[in-house]
Amino acid sequence: KMQEAYLLGHPGVKNNILHGGQGPLPHFPKGTKLVFHFQTLLDNFERTVIGDSRKNKHPTEIFVGKMFKMEVWAVLLTSMRIGEVAEFWCDAIHTGLYPMVSKGIRLAAQGKDPLEGQKHTCGMGNLFHYHSTGFPELDELMRTPQPLIFIVELISVGDPFSYQRESWMMEKDEKLKVVPSLHLLGNALVKQGRFREAAEKYQEAVVLLRTVQSREMPGDEDYINLDRLIIPLVLNYCQCMLELEEYYEVIEHTTELLDKHKDCVKAYYKRAKAYAAVWSKREARRDFQMVANLDITLSRLVQTELNLLSERMKEKYWEDKESHIKSGI
């Protein structure tokens, strides 16, 4: 039975060691590579198993302090000795991202693209897409966040420099491998309304892709393909900034995108919304017009936005006039 003792300093996590490990508790400086197997169980009477890394060819690997797929896993693993098997009960607050992480791990294990079904281009469509994960039990978790039980075996702890070394040696692959999970993580955070954290994930992914891209020849196939991955991430980042009302940030990033991709409808639309929010009527109208020119099916949406803009400008005019009168100007 689970100890009632919570893991030291971590509310919402209880642990129970099933099989002791060897030696002292390892050091876990930043960059340490952790290799482990895990099983995920529902916290129900049957303790239904909904995830098992042993079904994959390779165990799961993460690096301490480096773009954790799930923050709570860092907490669990760094409380363990090598060879230890422990069971952890984690409150729903720690497990919200599990469905997205699990989907990524499953697709990668099948040799598929972990971002399957997440491809956006510059067309409009939904500003954020949430498809089904493709796994009914994970969809159920997305609908009803709940506590989960993880049974974890810590297989090995690499030296802290292995991250730097591998990220140099396997530079491109390592970086490209991390991008889909950052993208999915961003989407999951958006779904929880955590726009600031989501924006950080999208930004991290963009930085990784741009670093890889800086070593390619502009115009090469690889360079162009990287651009295709960067665009949706930048647009998602801008959508978060709109939600956070950081309009100048949106204007800066969409402008940069439009310098390279003149026909990116979503970028014009987001920039128009940002211009409208900071009362730049002429610029907002021009961008909304571009949206309608590039995609005729959006003319009705654009008309609605333009009417809204005119209304808001009128209101602002009268409010300004009133405040001038009151202040005796």
Side-chain angles (χ1 to χ4, degrees):
K1 192 78 196 118
M2 277 290 168
Q3 293 172 3
E4 278 314 300
Y6 282 98
L7 194 59
L8 197 63
H10 291 284
V13 179
K14 295 179 199 168
N15 72 322
N16 182 17
I17 295 171
L18 305 178
H19 172 75
Q22 302 101 38
L25 191 67
H27 288 294
F28 298 102
K30 220 173 176 176
T32 304
K33 181 181 184 173
L34 306 179
V35 180
F36 63 103
H37 268 307
F38 70 92
Q39 252 191 338
T40 310
L41 289 67
L42 293 179
D43 184 18
N44 57 10
F45 183 71
E46 294 84 13
R47 289 166 57 99
T48 316
V49 176
I50 56 163
D52 190 343
S53 67
R54 283 186 178 75
K55 290 185 175 155
N56 307 334
K57 270 201 211 95
H58 304 290
T60 310
E61 290 179 6
I62 51 182
F63 292 96
V64 175
K66 299 278 180 184
M67 297 172 283
F68 255 118
K69 290 189 172 80
M70 262 177 71
E71 272 77 1
V72 77
W73 279 354
V75 172
L76 312 185
L77 289 158
T78 54
S79 74
M80 298 176 74
R81 291 174 164 74
I82 294 166
E84 182 178 311
V85 180
E87 180 173 312
F88 297 91
W89 175 91
C90 297
D91 200 348
I93 192 160
H94 297 300
T95 62
L97 297 176
Y98 178 77
M100 284 305 195
V101 170
S102 178
K103 172 193 174 174
I105 291 174
R106 291 175 188 205
L107 290 175
Q110 293 168 17
K112 291 187 188 156
D113 177 0
L115 266 181
E116 207 178 79
Q118 292 281 339
K119 295 273 180 275
H120 324 178
T121 51
C122 271
M124 279 291 277
N126 269 338
L127 293 181
F128 283 120
H129 291 283
Y130 303 105
H131 302 288
S132 144
T133 58
F135 301 100
E137 67 279 23
L138 297 181
D139 285 348
E140 183 52 42
L141 284 184
M142 299 266 287
R143 276 193 296 276
T144 49
Q146 54 195 275
L148 292 173
I149 295 165
F150 297 108
I151 298 177
V152 182
E153 178 189 357
L154 181 58
I155 299 168
S156 71
V157 175
D159 72 278
F161 298 109
S162 63
Y163 181 81
Q164 273 80 10
R165 201 167 47 244
E166 290 189 32
S167 79
W168 282 112
M169 277 164 51
M170 300 159 50
E171 182 91 21
K172 193 168 164 178
D173 288 355
E174 268 295 324
K175 289 195 165 119
L176 293 178
K177 236 174 18 195
V178 172
V179 168
S181 42
L182 284 170
H183 195 152
L184 290 169
L185 218 50
N187 292 3
L189 287 162
V190 163
K191 205 169 180 203
Q192 297 177 5
R194 292 157 68 184
F195 299 110
R196 174 81 52 204
E197 292 163 80
E200 282 168 16
K201 299 293 173 200
Y202 294 138
Q203 201 171 18
E204 231 171 295
V206 169
V207 168
L208 287 172
L209 289 170
R210 291 219 164 116
T211 312
V212 172
Q213 197 184 37
S214 67
R215 310 201 168 172
E216 305 291 341
M217 283 295 289
D220 271 8
E221 195 181 344
D222 277 359
Y223 189 92
I224 292 162
N225 285 336
L226 286 164
D227 248 356
R228 283 202 193 107
L229 293 173
I230 289 169
I231 293 168
L233 288 160
V234 172
L235 289 170
N236 283 5
Y237 173 81
C238 289
Q239 185 61 25
C240 290
M241 290 297 125
L242 277 176
E243 301 282 352
L244 295 165
E245 300 181 1
E246 298 203 8
Y247 302 117
Y248 291 102
E249 186 74 6
V250 177
I251 292 165
E252 183 190 332
H253 286 277
T254 46
T255 303
E256 198 181 309
L257 202 58
L258 288 163
D259 283 345
K260 287 175 84 174
H261 306 278
K262 302 265 184 285
D263 55 354
C264 189
V265 183
K266 275 187 182 172
Y268 281 114
Y269 183 70
K270 289 183 204 299
R271 190 170 72 176
K273 297 283 278 185
Y275 274 137
V278 298
W279 308 107
S280 301
K281 183 183 176 184
R282 194 177 339 140
E283 288 83 353
R285 287 187 74 88
R286 189 193 60 210
D287 279 351
F288 279 132
Q289 222 51 73
M290 278 303 289
V291 171
N293 295 348
L294 286 165
D295 187 341
I296 193 80
T297 64
L298 298 171
S299 357
R300 187 173 290 170
L301 170 71
V302 165
Q303 208 38 63
T304 310
E305 292 283 7
L306 288 172
N307 295 342
L308 196 66
L309 179 62
S310 296
E311 281 305 306
R312 286 185 63 232
M313 294 309 287
K314 265 186 222 143
E315 272 171 37
K316 181 173 162 49
Y317 172 77
W318 289 112
E319 274 169 26
D320 289 354
K321 211 171 173 60
E322 206 174 312
S323 65
H324 284 168
I325 291 165
K326 280 182 184 158
S327 59
I329 295 169

